[in-house]
């Protein structure tokens, strides 16, 4: 490989000649050969939006000339478009402030901007990574800002649409099955009846509440640390810099959630309780998805020796040894995602507790885990919707058989013969292998006509005066 020599305050170092990064990025490549988890592309894009906004604001404040501003802006646009992919090699496991990733962006933007101005960046840099691209900034305020930009963009682009997709599917299923009465189950035991539509309506509400919680967390995530610089005082920044950057970001990103300057920059740098709130909402969504996916695979279990009240699409062979076996693989994938998200929440919670004095130095791992959670949840929800939920069908034969065989229909008799007598009918029928009606008549507690009047499953699915 062809190399060139780059310099920084630590001295000279070899850098691949075909890359736009410089000395500080290269030092991180060499100093942190840890894992395979590179800095998420969403963070890189968040940085690009931020550096572009900072350049515009520095230009408005007459701290950066027009030529440099235009070149920096164009380089940032290219990062967002993906044309500079391959220039961001740094791993998550680096300095906890994300300093090297901030400098990776600064160096790439500086080199590409220099090139856009007609100069060979390998020979002479017309744009300086610190003095121009990083003007009025510190890694300590840019990294937490970039990651929050990434969170907002990914939630709006990926997760919220995914939640709506699945919620809409279940809403249609609720309507489709609104009058289909089935037996309920609590403690994995038979319970009183409900409709299949009522059962699925819980999922609609779960998904809506999860989205509400995520939207609630946005009021913290839109508060940006930019302008705090090193320790929150704003040293080397302009008093209006933070507010102006937020205004430009709102214009350039066009999100539904408007960025604002964090009211206390000391809080913004040292604490990530907002990220814990967001991660907690993602964790709650994961818990609901775990419940939904488990219910679906239980209800579809079988096909002959399980519950089998619903059928789900058969997507692929389920066994390398048992011919014809088909498994609830979409439920399995979603529950694995849920477990991963729950683990990520633990990581985020512990990481956020590690703010010492003026800075939390677990920022990259917080960003990595939250973005992974958003991505996995979004992908798995869409996959589960398209390859499972849409194809849910009711198995009427099994539903009716379980409903009519259930001993818990006896609950409808409580108001007429009392709990003790109703329990006697149920226990006797279970012991003798007979029906509730037979034992109610045999025990002389009800006539045939009275039993049929009182025990009507469809009438047991809603309260009565």
């Amino acid at each position: 490989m062809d190399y060139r020599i780059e310099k920084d305050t630590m001295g000279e170092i070899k850098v691949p000649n075909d890359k736009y990064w410089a000395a500080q990025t290269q030092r991180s490549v060499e100093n942190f050969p840890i894992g395979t988890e590179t800095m998420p592309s969403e963070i890189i894009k968040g940085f690009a939006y931020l550096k572009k906004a900072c350049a515009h604001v520095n230009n408005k404040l007459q701290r950066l000339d027009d030529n440099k501003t235009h070149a920096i802006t164009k380089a940032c646009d290219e990062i967002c478009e993906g044309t500079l992919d391959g220039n961001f090699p740094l791993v998550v496991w680096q300095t906890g402030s994300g300093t090297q990733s901030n400098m990776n962006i600064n160096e790439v933007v500086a080199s590409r901007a220099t090139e856009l101005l007609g100069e060979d960046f390998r020979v002479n840099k017309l744009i300086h990574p610190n003095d121009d691209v990083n003007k009025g900034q510190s890694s300590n305020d840019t990294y937490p800002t970039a990651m929050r930009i990434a969170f907002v963009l990914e939630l709006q682009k990926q997760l919220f649409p995914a939640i709506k997709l699945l919620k809409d599917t279940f809403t249609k299923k609720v309507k489709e099955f609104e009058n289909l009465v089935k037996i309920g189950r609590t403690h994995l035991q038979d319970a009183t009846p409900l409709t299949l539509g009522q059962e699925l309506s819980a999922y609609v509400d779960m998904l809506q509440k999860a989205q509400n919680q995520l939207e609630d967390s946005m009021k913290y995530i839109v508060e940006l640390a930019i302008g705090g610089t090193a320790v929150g005082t704003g040293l080397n920044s302009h008093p209006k810099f933070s507010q102006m950057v937020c205004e430009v970001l709102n214009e350039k990103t066009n999100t539904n959630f408007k960025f604002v300057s964090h009211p206390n920059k000391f809080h913004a740098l040292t604490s990530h309780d907002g990220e814990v709130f967001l991660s907690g909402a993602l964790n709650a969504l994961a818990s609901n998805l775990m419940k939904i996916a488990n219910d679906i695979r239980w209800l579809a279990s079988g096909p002959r020796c399980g519950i089998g009240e619903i059928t789900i699409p058969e997507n692929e062979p389920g066994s390398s040894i048992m011919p014809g076996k088909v498994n609830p693989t979409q439920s399995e994938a979603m529950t694995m995602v849920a477990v991963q998200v729950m683990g990520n929440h633990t990581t985020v919670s512990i990481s956020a507790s590690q703010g010492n004095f003026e800075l939390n130095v677990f920022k990259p791992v917080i960003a990595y885990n939250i973005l992974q959670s958003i991505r996995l949840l979004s992908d798995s929800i869409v996959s589960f919707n398209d390859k499972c939920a849409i194809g849910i069908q009711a198995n009427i034969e099994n539903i009716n058989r379980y409903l009519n065989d259930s001993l818990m229909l006896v609950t409808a008799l409580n108001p007429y013969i009392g709990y003790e007598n109703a329990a006697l009918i149920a226990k006797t029928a279970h012991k003798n292998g007979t029906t509730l009606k037979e034992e109610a008549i045999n025990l002389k507690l009800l006539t045939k006509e009275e039993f049929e009047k009182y025990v009507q499953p469809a009438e047991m699915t809603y309260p009565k005066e």
Side-chain angles (χ1 to χ4, degrees):
M1 182 182 292
D2 188 20
Y3 291 93
R4 68 180 187 276
I5 300 297
E6 290 278 354
K7 296 180 181 179
D8 61 7
T9 58
M10 300 292 291
E12 295 183 344
I13 191 170
K14 287 183 178 180
V15 175
N17 208 32
D18 63 339
K19 300 299 183 182
Y20 285 109
W21 72 68
Q24 291 201 44
T25 301
Q26 188 62 33
R27 293 191 192 283
S28 185
V29 169
E30 296 178 9
N31 288 335
F32 298 99
I34 304 172
T36 59
E37 299 84 1
T38 55
M39 194 59 60
S41 60
E42 298 91 345
I43 293 291
I44 304 304
K45 188 174 182 179
F47 261 118
Y49 274 116
L50 177 59
K51 296 299 178 179
K52 178 179 179 177
C54 289
H56 277 290
V57 172
N58 281 321
N59 181 253
K60 291 179 182 179
L61 295 171
Q62 299 184 341
R63 292 185 167 192
L64 195 67
D65 68 43
D66 291 346
N67 287 337
K68 288 184 176 181
T69 299
H70 178 75
I72 290 173
T73 297
K74 182 66 169 66
C76 290
D77 287 341
E78 290 181 359
I79 291 174
C80 290
E81 293 162 3
T83 57
L84 297 182
D85 288 353
N87 284 281
F88 307 101
L90 303 190
V91 296
V92 171
W93 321 109
Q94 53 168 276
T95 178
S97 61
T99 298
Q100 279 90 45
S101 281
N102 180 45
M103 284 308 303
N104 182 201
I105 296 288
N106 290 336
E107 290 176 345
V108 171
V109 170
S111 295
R112 178 57 181 147
T114 293
E115 194 172 62
L116 290 168
L117 291 174
E119 185 68 50
D120 186 347
F121 67 88
R122 300 170 186 82
V123 178
N124 179 35
K125 286 184 173 61
L126 299 179
I127 306 288
H128 195 280
N130 297 83
D131 297 337
D132 296 319
V133 184
N134 202 61
K135 184 180 287 293
Q137 307 153 56
S138 163
S139 299
N140 296 352
D141 66 349
T142 59
Y143 194 94
T145 298
M147 73 183 192
R148 288 193 169 185
I149 293 170
F151 298 157
V152 171
L153 293 177
E154 290 307 298
L155 285 167
Q156 180 167 298
K157 182 177 72 173
Q158 303 288 349
L159 188 53
F160 289 147
I163 293 172
K164 184 180 185 302
L165 182 70
L166 185 57
K167 185 181 68 173
D168 288 349
T169 293
F170 278 124
T171 299
K172 292 176 183 176
K173 294 296 177 182
V174 168
K175 182 67 176 176
E176 181 181 352
F177 302 131
E178 62 181 345
N179 296 317
L180 181 54
V181 182
K182 65 181 290 293
I183 199 63
R185 295 177 180 85
T186 59
H187 305 271
L188 291 180
Q189 303 296 307
D190 302 347
T192 56
L194 76 168
T195 70
L196 182 55
Q198 287 174 323
E199 190 166 47
L200 299 182
S201 74
Y203 308 159
V204 176
D205 201 48
M206 286 179 196
L207 292 166
Q208 183 60 58
K209 292 297 193 301
Q211 178 159 341
N212 292 346
Q213 291 170 351
L214 286 164
E215 290 177 351
D216 285 345
S217 73
M218 288 296 95
K219 63 186 176 183
Y220 303 109
I221 297 302
V222 296
E223 294 181 338
L224 302 185
I226 192 67
T229 65
V231 297
T233 61
L235 177 66
N236 289 350
S237 187
H238 189 280
K240 296 181 179 180
F241 186 74
S242 182
Q243 178 184 340
M244 293 175 70
V245 168
C246 291
E247 291 170 356
V248 174
L249 282 170
N250 288 330
E251 177 187 343
K252 301 300 182 183
T253 58
N254 193 31
T255 67
N256 295 331
F257 304 94
K258 300 305 178 184
F259 297 110
V260 297
S261 175
H262 199 296
N264 187 309
K265 300 300 188 295
F266 307 101
H267 177 192
L269 269 60
T270 194
S271 176
H272 287 300
D273 47 351
E275 279 73 13
V276 177
F277 195 148
L278 170 58
S279 182
L282 295 170
N283 189 64
L285 173 59
S287 296
N288 284 340
L289 293 174
M290 175 74 84
K291 188 264 190 293
I292 291 169
N294 275 333
D295 277 2
I296 295 302
R297 63 176 165 182
W298 271 106
L299 290 172
S301 60
R304 294 189 176 181
C305 302
I307 293 175
E309 289 186 339
I310 64 171
T311 61
I312 56 178
E314 298 182 348
N315 295 323
E316 67 277 305
S319 174
S320 60
I321 188 173
M322 293 175 280
K325 192 173 191 297
V326 179
N327 298 326
T329 52
Q330 289 297 317
S331 285
E332 291 167 5
M334 179 170 278
T335 52
M336 284 193 289
V337 164
V339 168
Q340 182 65 53
V341 172
M342 293 172 189
N344 287 353
H345 180 52
T346 298
T347 299
V348 170
S349 300
I350 297 172
S351 298
S353 74
Q354 299 303 302
N356 296 317
F357 304 111
E358 279 64 62
L359 187 67
N360 175 289
V361 292
F362 283 67
K363 300 183 194 297
V365 74
I366 291 173
Y368 178 81
N369 278 272
I370 289 180
L371 286 169
Q372 185 190 57
S373 292
I374 292 172
R375 188 183 313 113
L376 289 176
L377 288 169
S378 302
D379 290 349
S380 65
I381 289 172
V382 172
S383 182
F384 184 84
N385 179 81
D386 294 349
K387 297 179 174 61
C388 181
I390 286 176
I392 290 174
Q393 297 295 324
N395 186 329
I396 305 296
E397 182 181 351
N398 281 355
I399 285 175
N400 288 337
R401 177 163 55 85
Y402 291 138
L403 177 65
N404 294 326
D405 285 350
S406 174
L407 298 175
M408 290 304 99
L409 296 180
V410 78
T411 307
L413 299 177
N414 287 355
Y416 306 104
I417 61 174
Y419 182 93
E420 298 294 339
N421 283 332
L424 177 62
I425 291 173
K427 288 179 178 293
T428 305
H430 181 55
K431 178 181 178 181
N432 295 337
T434 53
T435 66
L436 294 173
K437 182 192 291 187
E438 288 173 325
E439 295 304 335
I441 296 170
N442 291 340
L443 292 168
K444 302 187 184 307
L445 292 171
L446 291 167
T447 65
K448 174 178 177 293
E449 292 73 21
E450 287 174 328
F451 183 92
E452 291 175 350
K453 177 181 177 181
Y454 299 146
V455 181
Q456 298 183 41
E459 299 292 309
M460 300 169 67
T461 61
Y462 54 88
K464 299 177 184 177
E465 293 185 3

